[in-house]
Each structure stands twice: as structure tokens, then as C-alpha cells.
């Protein structure tokens, strides 16, 4: 189903080194342990309490193989739920796009349900370590009805005025935050991230016309896990804040969804999706065997739709 994604994952497999790049020039090169390094990025408790970023090309490629199917599938499932809200020709503005897993979900959805549509995609990303992945997607976009794919390297928080200019000029009709807010909260106080996200929504809806959609897809965990690991910011905590802020606004529709991958009721966030298990049958065997892929969808999702000119 995710043809563009599988092409990117093949690129990732070809470029991923089985030898750790940090030790490749030493007398004793070590086997790549990208899963452990990714855990250090995602959970600072696994990095002696220190924040670590995606700081290695090897890790970048392994991320594409390990997480793309899960993240793209979460977006695809959400798009099926909100199909009546979607434009025929999406102009997507992805904040903190990373390897563009949201684009994979959009491409698969529109190819299946609206094959005549043309997709435009503008990604913002703070790290240029993703640039080889981005170049590949841009070069191959014409094979997937992608009318335009561009990535701008900038920090969304420090360059907010420039983001306003992009929105005013390009008029996106879909804005995507794919696992971005919880990542921001590793570097900034969670209250600051909540205010940033709230201000972003307000400004975007001031600039953009009605029917504009803002999609947030982020982390969701049970309460017991949250209590055991209070230092980790849960994406759903930020999404719940945004949902409360805009719930009473008659000009904005607030839609909430989650994947009930565990029977624990503390996962609940709006409407439960009907499936959590990822269908692995269509995954090419060489990719399935190489990457330690996730086999469950697990996120919480918030969709805000501008109903009228605010």
C-alpha cells in the first residue's frame, strides 16, 4: 500500500551501515546498535538523564525502517476517518517533518481514494541530517502524483515569523504535526510547548481560509507508565490541552481519535480506531527481516477544522 514509503525504506537499508559510524575509524569497530541509540533519543532516562537528538546518519536511516510503517499507517487510518473533511488537492504543510512519514500516509490515502488528486507538500525540519532522504523523495515524487515536494531547514519555534510568511504565501489547506510536540517538549518546558501549539493554531486560522485542517499525531501511554516515568512528556497531554482550549469555539471543529492497543481505559482520547495491529503481509521480506519494525499503531490524534472565518 505504501509504495513511496517502501522505496524510501529500501534506500535506508542500502545506506544503513552494519558497523557503528562512531567506531568505524577505530581499531575495534562495533556493530551498529541503532535501536539502543534511538531509545536514547526518545527517552532521556536511557541516556543518563541527558537529552540526545538524531545525531547520526546511521540512526537516521534505521529510523526510516523502524518507524515509517507505524507512523504512516496511523496517518492513513486517521485520513480514512476524516475523509469528508479532506480537500481534493491537498497542500500539506508539515512542521518538523523528519523522514516525511506523514507524506507516506497522505500519498497512500490519495492514491487509493482520490487518484486524480495532486499533492503538494512543504516540510519544515530543523536537522539537515535528513537531507538525503528528502532529496530522494523530491526526485521520485513525480512517480507518485506529488505535484511539489519541498523541505525548508529551520527551527519552527525560533523562526515563527518566517512560518507565518510561508503560510500567507502558500496557503496550505492541511497542516501536519507528526510526533513533533512531544519532541519539542524534550528541549522546552511543556507549558511553553502548549502555548506555542495554541498560538500556532490561532495564527494559522487567522491567516488561512475556512476548511483548513490541522492534524496532530503524537504519543499515547497508559497512566501507570506515565506515573512510572514522570520526566517523559506524553504527546496526548499536549493534545488534550489543545482540545480543551478550542472545544468551545463555534468556528472550530475538534475531533479526537486514539488506537486502543491496550485495554486500559486511560488511553482513551475521543473515538477509538477499530484496529491497532499493523498488517505486515505487504511488507517486502528483506525490509521486514532487516529492521525491527513496530507491529502496532499506538498514537493519539487531534484534528482541528476551521469551520468559518474566525
Amino acid at each position: 500500500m505504501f509504495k513511496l514509503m517502501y522505496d524510501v525504506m529500501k534506500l535506508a537499508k542500502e545506506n544503513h551501515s552494519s558497523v557503528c559510524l562512531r567506531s568505524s575509524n577505530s581499531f575495534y569497530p562495533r556493530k551498529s546498535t541503532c535501536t539502543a541509540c534511538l531509545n536514547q533519543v526518545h527517552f532521556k532516562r536511557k541516556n543518563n538523564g541527558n537529552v540526545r537528538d538524531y545525531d547520526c546518519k546511521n540512526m537516521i536511516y534505521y529510523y526510516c525502517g523502524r518507524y515509517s510503517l507505524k507512523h504512516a499507517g496511523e496517518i492513513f487510518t486517521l485520513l480514512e476517518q476524516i475523509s469528508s473533511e479532506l480537500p481534493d488537492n491537498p497542500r500539506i504543510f508539515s512542521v518538523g517533518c523528519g523522514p516525511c512519514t506523514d507524506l507516506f500516509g497522505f500519498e497512500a490515502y490519495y492514491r487509493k481514494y482520490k487518484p486524480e488528486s495532486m499533492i503538494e507538500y512543504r516540510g519544515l525540519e530543523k536537522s539537515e541530517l535528513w537531507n538525503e532522504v528528502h532529496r530522494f523523495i523530491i526526485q521520485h515524487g513525480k512517480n507518485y502524483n506529488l505535484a511539489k515536494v519541498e523541505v525548508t531547514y529551520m527551527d519552527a519555534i525560533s523562526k515563527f515569523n518566517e512560518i507565518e510568511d510561508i503560510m500567507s504565501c502558500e496557503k496550505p489547506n492541511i497542516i501536519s504535526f507528526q510526533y513533533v510536540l512531544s519532541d519539542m517538549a524534550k528541549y522546552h518546558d511543556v507549558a511553553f510547548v502548549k502555548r506555542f501549539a495554541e498560538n500556532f493554531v490561532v495564527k494559522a486560522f487567522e491567516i488561512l481560509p475556512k476548511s483548513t485542517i490541522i492534524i496532530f499525531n503524537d504519543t499515547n501511554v497508559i497512566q501507570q507508565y506515565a506515573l512510572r516515568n514522570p520526566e517523559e512528556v506524553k504527546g496526548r497531554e499536549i493534545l488534550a490541552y489543545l482540545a480543551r482550549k478550542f472545544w468551545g469555539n463555534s468556528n472550530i471543529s475538534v475531533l479526537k481519535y486514539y488506537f486502543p492497543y491496550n485495554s486500559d481505559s486511560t488511553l482513551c482520547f475521543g473515538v477509538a480506531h477499530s484496529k491497532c495491529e499493523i498488517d505486515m503481509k505487504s511488507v517486502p521480506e528483506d525490509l521486514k527481516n532487516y529492521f525491527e519494525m513496530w507491529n502496532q499503531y499506538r498514537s493519539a490524534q487531534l484534528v482541528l477544522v476551521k469551520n468559518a472565518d474566525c
Side-chain angles (χ1 to χ4, degrees):
M1 179 170 64
F2 300 104
K3 292 183 178 181
L4 174 59
M5 181 195 71
Y6 291 141
D7 283 352
V8 172
M9 290 171 69
K10 289 174 184 175
L11 171 78
K13 181 175 179 289
E14 291 170 1
N15 286 275
H16 181 262
S17 173
S18 60
V19 175
C20 178
L21 298 184
R22 294 189 170 196
S23 66
S24 59
N25 294 322
S26 70
F27 289 111
Y28 304 101
R30 294 182 287 108
K31 180 180 178 181
S32 286
T33 54
C34 292
T35 303
C37 285
L38 284 168
N39 282 336
Q40 291 177 356
V41 172
H42 299 155
F43 313 105
K44 67 180 183 180
R45 61 186 165 84
K46 297 187 178 182
N47 192 40
N48 298 319
N50 300 310
V51 175
R52 181 180 176 185
D53 207 343
Y54 303 101
D55 54 12
C56 168
K57 279 280 190 181
N58 223 24
M59 189 200 304
I60 290 292
Y61 289 125
Y62 204 79
Y63 182 106
C64 290
R66 179 168 170 78
Y67 291 101
S68 288
L69 181 60
K70 173 181 180 292
H71 292 178
E74 289 169 350
I75 290 293
F76 181 89
T77 304
L78 175 64
L79 297 179
E80 290 185 312
Q81 289 273 23
I82 64 170
S83 58
S84 63
E85 306 287 350
L86 298 175
D88 287 337
N89 295 293
R91 299 185 302 279
I92 303 159
F93 185 40
S94 180
V95 181
C97 62
C100 304
T101 56
D102 54 354
L103 176 58
F104 304 153
F106 279 105
E107 185 276 323
Y109 173 86
Y110 275 88
R111 179 163 38 81
K112 180 175 181 179
Y113 293 107
K114 298 185 178 185
E116 301 304 315
S117 296
M118 297 298 292
I119 298 171
E120 296 183 13
Y121 182 90
R122 159 81 72 173
L124 291 186
E125 174 52 47
K126 66 179 181 178
S127 173
E128 295 193 30
L129 281 177
W130 299 102
N131 59 8
E132 290 181 17
V133 174
H134 295 155
R135 281 200 298 269
F136 180 88
I137 294 172
I138 291 168
Q139 290 168 2
H140 289 75
K142 60 183 180 294
N143 300 326
Y144 298 96
N145 281 358
L146 303 183
K148 183 184 77 171
V149 178
E150 295 182 11
V151 176
T152 301
Y153 296 99
M154 73 166 66
D155 180 80
I157 289 178
S158 63
K159 301 290 186 179
F160 191 74
N161 288 341
E162 294 181 33
I163 292 177
E164 290 183 44
D165 292 339
I166 292 173
M167 290 192 292
S168 297
C169 178
E170 299 190 0
K171 293 293 190 294
N173 47 29
I174 299 177
I175 298 173
S176 171
F177 285 78
Q178 176 81 313
Y179 285 93
V180 176
L181 298 182
S182 58
D183 186 70
M184 288 179 174
K186 294 189 305 185
Y187 308 95
H188 304 276
D189 183 79
V190 65
F192 173 86
V193 177
K194 289 176 179 178
R195 290 195 300 273
F196 166 81
E198 180 184 357
N199 292 336
F200 190 104
V201 172
V202 170
K203 181 56 66 173
F205 283 168
E206 283 179 3
I207 295 171
L208 301 171
K210 64 181 180 180
S211 300
T212 298
I213 303 169
I214 304 181
I215 292 173
F216 299 91
N217 188 52
D218 220 309
T219 55
N220 190 13
V221 296
I222 63 173
Q223 187 177 40
Q224 284 185 336
Y225 180 93
L227 292 175
R228 287 199 308 269
N229 303 285
E231 77 287 352
E232 291 178 23
V233 176
K234 316 308 177 294
R236 190 189 65 191
E237 174 186 343
I238 305 173
L239 304 194
Y241 170 84
L242 293 174
R244 290 193 300 270
K245 279 292 180 178
F246 296 106
W247 186 261
N249 190 321
S250 60
N251 295 324
I252 299 174
S253 292
V254 178
L255 310 173
K256 300 187 294 182
Y257 300 91
Y258 74 102
F259 292 92
Y261 63 89
N262 186 300
S263 59
D264 195 305
S265 62
T266 60
L267 286 178
C268 294
F269 189 73
V271 177
H273 290 298
S274 61
K275 65 175 182 178
C276 300
E277 297 303 315
I278 299 175
D279 182 2
M280 305 291 286
K281 294 193 294 294
S282 62
V283 182
E285 285 298 322
D286 62 321
L287 299 178
K288 188 188 302 184
N289 294 333
Y290 192 85
F291 297 110
E292 299 169 270
M293 296 181 186
W294 281 73
N295 59 7
Q296 280 186 326
Y297 303 133
R298 292 194 167 198
S299 64
Q301 301 168 320
L302 175 66
V303 180
L304 303 177
V305 184
K306 182 178 178 180
N307 297 326
D309 293 326
C310 303

